[in-house]
């Protein structure tokens, strides 16, 4: 029986037999993990494409859209490859390709040459290009170009944005350049795609509605539950069905709402109000990270199921994802505010911080959406003791704000995307008041790093043993070696399980006393994120 390898070897491509079975069964679990290219039509599709299956001898498989387009294939207008989730395995973790992809997603190549990208990830330009071709089947510039065009295609299809604004949102400096590039790649002008029926655009409505696809299973209810317990009144609003928040900058604030896409489609529904077109791709990327939409649940479950403690948790909640946050600085401040206090107390302090030092909107966008969270500039010299923080905690917040401003730790949208987990943690731990637990918590919630692991966490140390004992940080770290590179997902499952187990007896007994004040303070801090 003949095999059907891709023209260029790609490490990210599943075995052809797996691809063939997934294509014929239209298995949504493989959406975005490979693409089907049909040589007779020169069109590439998602494995879930509803079109009749092509003949086997006419099919080639590619690990990503950029590789298919580099080979001369055009995206299908029916299944719309721009809606597929990304291959999260290549966009997360510490590998050079993963870190480079995160920087490409943040638009680095839109303003800088390839040499700048290579320098940021510590490689030579030629070596970086070789790694991309070997592992993804396309050069970095090709990945960047495909990303821009597919996003433009989604905006043209799902919104009524003027084509000039679509070009701007996709990172093109001129409409002329956008039209020429789109026509060359897809053999049709942008205006021809716009002539097709637009199911989401509403005359006179300034709301942009977009699909954010994911691979099933996805436990959206659990994601909302996690975010609801930490939502900041005035900045965020979370109910049983959706998440909403205010977004900056203050010069042109807006707001967004994320909910499940109706009809059972494997996608979330994003409703955007007021953002500048140039920020749309950044917003999409933030939300994809925040809601962990590019994760591969099968790969995560396969790796973690080797541990008998985790196996039943994965079966119980197969769609549990890693909840991240909207802004890295906001997550860092909230992590510091949460040290030695409960979740409710941390939320109260964060709310006071937002109301006192954040920018109030001229008028409320919606109920509960009235403030922007403060920037590092606003907190660098703020006297946070006035809102109830201890002097030490207030000093730590100011230190972090200044460190972000002077570059001691990374700021901006990427928040250290080019760094390995160890490098990221080391830079944060070097700051006064920041320990390994806080650094890894920030890596989990700000970066969405899949392997972040707060080994000093009291709840984790008690959750892994099933005999009521408590593991040491060293023993827990050793146990978790087999969980790599998905340790953060194990943390979320164990925290969730601990919350479920603790609810019936939450008020039954006082916390067990520790041997000294430092230990009691640490235990209080570590309880914060599971109570």
């Amino acid at each position: 029986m003949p095999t059907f390898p891709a023209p260029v070897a790609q490490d990210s491509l599943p075995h052809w037999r797996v691809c063939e079975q997934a294509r014929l069964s239209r298995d949504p679990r493989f959406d975005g993990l490979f693409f089907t290219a049909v040589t007779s039509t020169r069109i590439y599709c998602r494995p879930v494409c509803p079109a009749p299956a092509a003949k086997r001898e006419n099919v080639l498989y590619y690990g990503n859209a950029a590789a298919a387009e580099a080979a001369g294939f055009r995206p299908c207008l029916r299944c719309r490859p721009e809606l597929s989730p990304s291959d999260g395995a290549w966009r997360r973790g510490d590998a050079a390709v993963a870190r480079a992809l995160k920087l490409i997603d943040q638009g680095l190549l839109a303003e800088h040459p390839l040499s700048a990208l290579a320098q940021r990830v510590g490689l030579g330009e030629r070596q970086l290009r070789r790694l991309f071709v070997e592992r993804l089947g396309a050069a970095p510039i090709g990945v960047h170009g495909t990303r821009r065009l597919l996003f433009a295609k989604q905006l043209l299809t799902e919104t009524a944005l003027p084509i000039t604004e679509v070009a701007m949102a996709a990172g093109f400096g001129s409409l002329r350049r956008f039209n020429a590039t789109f026509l060359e790649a897809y053999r049709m002008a942008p205006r021809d795609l716009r002539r097709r029926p637009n199911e989401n655009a509403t005359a006179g409505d300034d709301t942009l509605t977009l699909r954010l696809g994911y691979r099933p299973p996805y436990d959206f209810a659990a994601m909302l539950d996690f975010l609801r317990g930490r939502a900041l009144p005035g900045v965020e609003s979370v109910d049983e069905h959706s998440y909403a928040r205010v977004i900056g900058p203050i010069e042109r604030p807006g707001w967004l709402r994320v909910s499940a896409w109706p009809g059972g489609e494997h996608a979330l529904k994003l409703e955007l109000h007021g953002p500048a077109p140039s920020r749309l791709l950044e917003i999409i990327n933030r939300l994809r990270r925040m809601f962990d939409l590019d994760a591969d649940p099968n790969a995560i479950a396969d790796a973690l199921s080797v541990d008998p403690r985790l196996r039943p948790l994965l079966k119980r909640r197969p769609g549990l994802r890693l909840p991240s946050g909207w802004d890295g600085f906001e997550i860092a401040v909230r992590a510091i505010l949460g040290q030695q206090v409960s979740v409710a107390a941390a939320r109260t302090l964060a709310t006071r911080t937002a109301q006192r030092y954040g920018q109030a909107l001229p008028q409320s966008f919606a109920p509960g959406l009235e403030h922007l969270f403060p920037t590092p500039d606003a907190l660098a010299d703020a006297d946070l003791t006035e809102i109830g923080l201890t002097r030490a905690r207030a000093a730590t917040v100011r230190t972090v704000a200044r460190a972000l401003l002077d570059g001691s730790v990374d700021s901006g949208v990427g928040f250290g995307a080019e760094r390995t987990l160890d490098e990221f943690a080391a830079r944060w731990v070097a700051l006064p008041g920041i320990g390994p637990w806080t650094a890894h918590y920030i890596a989990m919630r700000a970066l969405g790093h899949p392997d972040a692991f707060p080994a000093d966490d009291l709840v984790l140390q008690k959750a892994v043993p099933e005999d009521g004992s408590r593991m040491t940080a060293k023993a827990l770290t050793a146990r978790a070696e087999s969980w790599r590179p998905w340790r953060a997902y194990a943390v979320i499952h164990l925290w969730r399980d601990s919350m479920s187990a603790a609810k019936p007896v939450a008020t039954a007994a006082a916390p067990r006393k520790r041997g000294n004040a430092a230990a009691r303070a640490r235990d209080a801090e570590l309880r914060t994120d599971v109570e």
Side-chain angles (χ1 to χ4, degrees), residues 410-478:
D410 303 285
S411 60
V413 177
F415 211 68
E418 70 268 34
R419 304 199 183 282
T420 66
L421 176 61
D422 288 343
E423 291 171 345
F424 179 88
R427 288 167 72 91
W428 280 86
V429 169
L431 299 177
I434 302 293
W437 184 92
T438 305
H440 277 263
Y441 181 81
I442 294 171
M444 285 180 61
R445 300 288 323 284
L447 300 182
H449 198 293
D451 206 36
F453 190 66
D456 291 317
D457 189 279
L458 172 65
V459 174
L460 290 181
Q461 292 173 1
K462 291 183 174 181
V464 176
E466 297 184 85
D467 58 2
S469 63
R470 174 180 171 182
M471 301 182 74
T472 64
K474 182 177 180 180
L476 182 60
T477 300

Side-chain angles (χ1 to χ4, degrees), residues 68-111:
E69 294 198 10
F73 293 90
R74 293 172 288 123
C76 175
L77 295 178
R78 188 168 180 181
C79 68
R80 300 179 56 201
E82 69 270 16
L83 297 182
S84 64
S86 299
D87 184 352
W90 285 111
R91 279 174 163 75
R92 303 175 64 180
D94 288 349
V97 170
R99 291 181 283 128
L101 280 170
K102 284 184 284 188
L103 291 170
I104 290 174
D105 286 343
Q106 291 156 17
L108 187 139
L109 289 182
E111 300 178 356

Side-chain angles (χ1 to χ4, degrees), residues 41-44 62 66-74 185 187:
T41 62
R42 306 304 295 176
I43 288 174
Y44 73 94
Y62 291 88
E69 294 198 10
F73 293 90
R74 293 172 288 123
R187 302 177 197 174

